[in-house]
């Protein structure tokens, strides 16, 4: 699979992100293919989380944070769009499961509508909730307890609930910031399998610390180091035949 | 093998003596409460019966009569104070926790709230007199509510701020990442998540103002008759206690004690309620 032949959904040009004076990511140029799983890898502090938070403009919420360069979602520079519009199109799943504690499972799934004051007809709401929960491989486990609090679920179930919540607003891209790092191995595996299935529906960009995980689930891998994009290519290629010595050193465990 | 059983035993005894002394000392702060409760119950319980709650005060010299107007008055005066004070306080708390944060304005608001909380209640009463009673030309329940609102605002502002700060950032981010604007996130996610804590703060503040006398002396003033009109002088439980206890009539003294029982147990109940709520917050974490 080569990058050139695939349709591109995200393209950054000379993207830099700062915290005050600190430059967290430096001049990133990357093309992220549509309906594929792209993994962002690299040691702690390499800027991969900062990068992913630029893609839905959460980065700029941190006081003192700013972005330069451009990020194109299809052909629109999202830095010139309303962040709210961007975030409707680019969903996110976080490191720790964060269902809304005041809401039931059902309400959590539909939170993207509820919180914006969008009233859906009952049957349409039910349909979307079931669709999203099925996509998140959670439906069978929760279909009889939809009206219990989301926080009653186990950690892995909560994370899949958060995935369902993000999917329910039908985003074009789903960003995942180390979605399995707070979960046990079994729940992690469930989420990994889910990600592979989800790429039929949505483009996935996932930050991961876990090299075998990136190998198992991603089609493309980007290696970040000290705020720079060192290497980007098909995962199989990058893992077996890295072009940059830093990538090779990281993959062989010389640093982490 | 234990070669010094005697010394071991002596140690254990010393330890137990220390524990007993500590428990006794720890009980000292609770003693005044029990003495107060025992005292007012002893003096006041006799005069409490259904009539006491349902009847109006008797004219001076006549026995009997009740505090129905003061009960209703306290609910109205405190109720209006809550209606005035709570929205202002919650909005200010939201500003401090979600918008102002470490800004200079936020710091000024925080200091003002703390200072306002320290202003003696009699001063608050005088201020409400100057601001509301004088322009209106007469005493009113409403002016008393203004005074009490001034007393509850700083308490609710600070508890709201603290409770909202405890709401984890990942919930704010979860909402923002769904494309929800910040103010909607605050109103629909942050505030509901902290609502139990905010309610606890309101209950504590209500418990505090329900027993305040000084701010009502020259605002609500008191009234021997039943009135539901907040623009008229109105009776309140603390005013009954103050007026009856300083009167020359023995029957009124008894009623002052009885009113003290009612007021104290109302406040006690509010405090217990807020504790239960606070426990629920702790349990949810």
């Amino acid at each position: 699979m080569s990058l050139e032949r695939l349709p591109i959904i995200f393209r950054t040009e000379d993207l830099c992100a700062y915290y005050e004076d600190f430059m967290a990511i430096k001049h990133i140029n990357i093309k992220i293919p549509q309906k594929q799983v792209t993994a962002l890898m690299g040691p702690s502090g390499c800027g991969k989380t900062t990068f992913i938070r630029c893609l839905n403009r959460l980065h700029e919420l941190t006081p003192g944070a700013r972005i330069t360069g451009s990020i194109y979602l299809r052909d629109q520079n999202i830095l010139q769009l309303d962040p709210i519009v961007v975030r409707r199109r680019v969903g996110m799943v976080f490191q720790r499961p964060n269902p809304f504690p005041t809401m039931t499972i059902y309400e959590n799934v539909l939170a993207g509508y509820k919180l914006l004051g969008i009233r859906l007809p009952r049957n349409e709401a039910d349909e979307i909730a079931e669709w999203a929960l099925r996509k998140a491989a959670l439906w069978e486990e929760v279909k009889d307890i939809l009206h219990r609090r989301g926080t009653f679920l186990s950690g892995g179930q909560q994370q899949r609930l958060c995935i369902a919540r993000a999917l329910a607003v039908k985003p074009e891209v789903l960003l995942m910031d180390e979605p399995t790092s707070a979960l046990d191995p079994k729940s992690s595996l469930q989420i990994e399998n889910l990600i592979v299935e989800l790429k039929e529906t949505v483009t996935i960009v996932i930050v991961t610390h876990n090299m075998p995980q990136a190998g198992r689930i991603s089609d493309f891998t980007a290696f970040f180091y000290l705020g720079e994009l060192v290497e980007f290519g098909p995962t199989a290629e990058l893992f077996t035949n890295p072009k940059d010595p830093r990538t090779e050193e990281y993959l062989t465990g010389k640093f982490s | 093998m234990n070669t010094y059983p005697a010394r071991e035993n002596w140690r254990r005894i010393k330890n137990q003596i220390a524990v007993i002394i500590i428990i006794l000392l720890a009980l000292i702060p609770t003693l005044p409460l029990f003495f107060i409760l025992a005292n007012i119950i002893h003096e006041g319980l006799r005069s409490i019966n259904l009539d006491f709650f349902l009847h109006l005060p008797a004219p001076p010299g006549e026995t009997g009569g009740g505090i129905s107007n003061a009960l209703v008055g306290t609910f109205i005066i405190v109720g209006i104070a809550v209606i005035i004070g709570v929205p202002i306080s919650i909005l200010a708390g939201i500003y401090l926790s979600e918008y102002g944060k470490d800004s200079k304005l936020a710091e000024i608001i925080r200091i003002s709230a703390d200072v306002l909380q320290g202003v003696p209640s009699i001063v608050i009463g005088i201020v409400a007199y100057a601001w509301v009673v004088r322009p209106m030309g007469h005493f009113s329940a409403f002016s008393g509510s203004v005074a009490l609102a001034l007393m509850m605002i700083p308490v609710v502002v600070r508890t709201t701020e603290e409770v909202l700060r405890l709401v984890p950032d990942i919930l704010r981010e979860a909402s923002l990442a769904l494309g929800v604007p910040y103010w909607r996130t605050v109103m629909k996610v942050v505030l509901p998540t902290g609502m139990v804590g905010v309610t606890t703060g309101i209950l504590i503040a209500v418990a505090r103002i329900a027993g305040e006398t000084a701010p009502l002396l020259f605002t609500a003033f008191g009234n021997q008759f039943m009135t539901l009109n907040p623009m008229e002088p109105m009776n309140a439980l603390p005013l009954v206690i103050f007026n009856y206890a300083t009167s020359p009539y023995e029957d009124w003294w008894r009623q002052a004690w009885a009113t003290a029982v009612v007021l104290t147990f109302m406040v006690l109940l509010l405090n217990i309620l807020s504790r239960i709520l606070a426990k629920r917050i702790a349990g949810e974490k």
Side-chain angles (χ1 to χ4, degrees), chain B residues 30-234:
Chain B
T30 67
L31 286 180
L33 176 66
F34 284 107
F35 285 141
I36 290 169
L37 289 180
N39 197 207
I40 59 173
I41 288 172
H42 173 75
E43 299 275 357
L45 207 57
R46 274 172 301 159
S47 313
I48 295 183
N49 49 43
L50 200 57
D51 282 352
F52 183 68
F53 291 105
L54 296 180
H55 283 229
L56 284 174
E62 278 179 38
T63 52
I67 53 163
S68 63
N69 62 340
L71 262 175
V72 171
T74 283
F75 280 114
I76 292 178
I77 294 171
V78 172
I80 295 176
V82 168
I83 292 169
I84 300 171
V86 165
I88 298 174
S89 313
I90 289 182
L91 289 177
I94 286 174
Y95 172 79
L96 292 178
S97 141
E98 306 299 317
Y99 293 92
K101 292 177 184 163
D102 299 326
S103 70
K104 213 158 208 153
L105 180 61
E107 208 39 49
I108 291 170
I109 293 172
R110 265 180 218 114
I111 293 169
S112 309
D114 290 350
V115 173
L116 182 60
Q117 198 169 353
V119 172
S121 57
I122 188 94
V123 177
I124 301 271
I126 294 172
V127 166
Y129 177 83
W131 287 356
V132 187
V133 177
R134 249 192 348 211
M136 277 175 59
H138 55 84
F139 297 113
S140 65
F142 176 74
S143 58
S145 301
V146 170
L148 295 184
L150 285 176
M151 300 209 56
M152 81 179 293
I153 284 172
V155 182
V156 181
V157 169
R158 295 311 300 269
T159 40
T160 303
E161 182 195 359
E162 268 155 45
V163 167
L164 296 190
R165 270 172 183 247
L166 288 179
V167 173
D169 270 337
I170 56 168
L171 293 181
R172 292 182 182 85
E173 289 195 338
S175 173
L176 294 169
L178 287 168
V180 181
Y182 196 65
W183 67 271
R184 271 198 104 93
T185 298
V186 171
M187 297 310 284
K188 301 251 168 179
V189 175
V190 181
L191 192 58
T193 306
M195 206 55 219
V196 183
V198 173
T199 313
T200 308
I202 294 171
L203 284 180
I204 290 169
V206 166
R208 214 190 123 202
I209 62 170
E212 280 293 340
T213 320
L216 298 183
L217 284 176
F218 15 78
T219 52
F221 192 72
N223 190 334
Q224 288 295 94
F225 304 100
M226 175 71 83
T227 174
L228 301 176
N229 182 352
M231 292 306 153
E232 283 175 17
M234 198 181 275

Side-chain angles (χ1 to χ4, degrees), chain A:
Chain A
M1 195 161 13
S2 108
L3 198 52
E4 282 71 32
R5 293 220 307 272
L6 291 164
I8 299 300
I9 190 156
F10 257 128
R11 179 164 57 88
T12 72
E13 274 175 15
D14 202 32
L15 179 70
C16 303
Y18 304 79
Y19 296 98
E20 308 285 352
D21 294 332
F22 173 69
M23 200 177 188
I25 58 172
K26 301 167 184 168
H27 310 287
I28 307 289
N29 292 291
I30 193 171
K31 286 176 182 166
I32 293 171
Q34 190 179 334
K35 299 218 170 151
Q36 303 284 326
V37 178
T38 301
L40 310 179
M41 251 179 25
S44 305
C46 69
K48 54 195 192 301
T49 292
T50 305
F51 175 76
I52 206 176
R53 288 170 68 91
C54 288
L55 298 182
N56 67 345
R57 299 193 54 185
L58 271 189
H59 170 71
E60 62 207 79
L61 289 173
T62 313
R66 65 200 163 83
I67 303 176
T68 61
S70 0
I71 306 169
Y72 293 96
L73 173 58
R74 302 194 194 276
D75 278 316
Q76 282 171 301
N77 185 352
I78 63 165
L79 299 180
Q80 285 159 6
L81 292 176
D82 183 346
I84 285 156
V85 175
V86 176
R87 291 176 200 145
R88 297 294 283 181
R89 295 174 61 187
V90 183
M92 191 164 200
V93 175
F94 296 83
Q95 208 166 351
R96 303 188 65 85
N98 53 1
F100 298 118
T102 53
M103 295 186 194
T104 64
I105 294 170
Y106 182 82
E107 289 168 329
N108 259 292
V109 179
L110 296 172
Y113 299 93
K114 228 177 89 89
L115 293 176
L116 273 173
I118 300 171
R119 298 184 72 89
L120 297 168
R122 183 71 208 209
N123 57 337
E124 200 185 325
D126 288 350
E127 254 169 50
I128 294 175
E130 183 177 340
W131 175 83
L133 285 167
R134 279 191 191 282
K135 280 282 172 195
L138 190 59
W139 174 253
E140 292 302 324
E141 289 157 66
V142 301
K143 62 181 177 190
D144 299 321
I145 52 165
L146 286 175
H147 294 284
R148 290 188 67 179
R149 294 276 166 105
T151 39
F152 277 110
L153 298 172
S154 74
Q157 289 174 322
Q158 286 189 23
Q159 194 62 303
R160 278 178 283 146
L161 177 59
C162 293
I163 292 172
R165 179 177 66 189
L167 290 173
V169 294
K170 316 236 161 113
E172 295 160 54
V173 185
L174 190 58
L175 308 174
M176 301 178 116
D177 185 5
E178 296 188 47
T180 63
S181 65
L183 303 180
D184 62 88
K186 188 164 163 273
S187 306
S188 300
L189 198 65
Q190 270 178 319
I191 302 243
E192 283 184 16
N193 294 336
L194 177 59
I195 290 169
V196 175
E197 284 169 30
L198 275 178
K199 71 175 174 183
E200 286 172 20
T201 319
V202 65
T203 307
I204 290 171
V205 183
I206 177 171
V207 167
T208 177
H209 243 32
N210 181 331
M211 237 182 294
Q213 183 177 66
R216 282 192 296 270
I217 62 174
S218 72
D219 305 300
F220 294 90
T221 298
F223 175 66
F224 280 73
Y225 186 61
L226 298 177
E228 282 172 50
L229 176 61
V230 173
E231 192 166 347
F232 179 54
T235 301
E237 217 171 280
L238 187 131
F239 270 56
T240 50
N241 189 15
K243 295 190 180 65
D244 194 288
R246 289 171 291 181
T247 316
E248 187 171 358
E249 279 172 29
Y250 181 73
L251 289 171
T252 52
K254 294 237 171 66
F255 62 87
S256 62

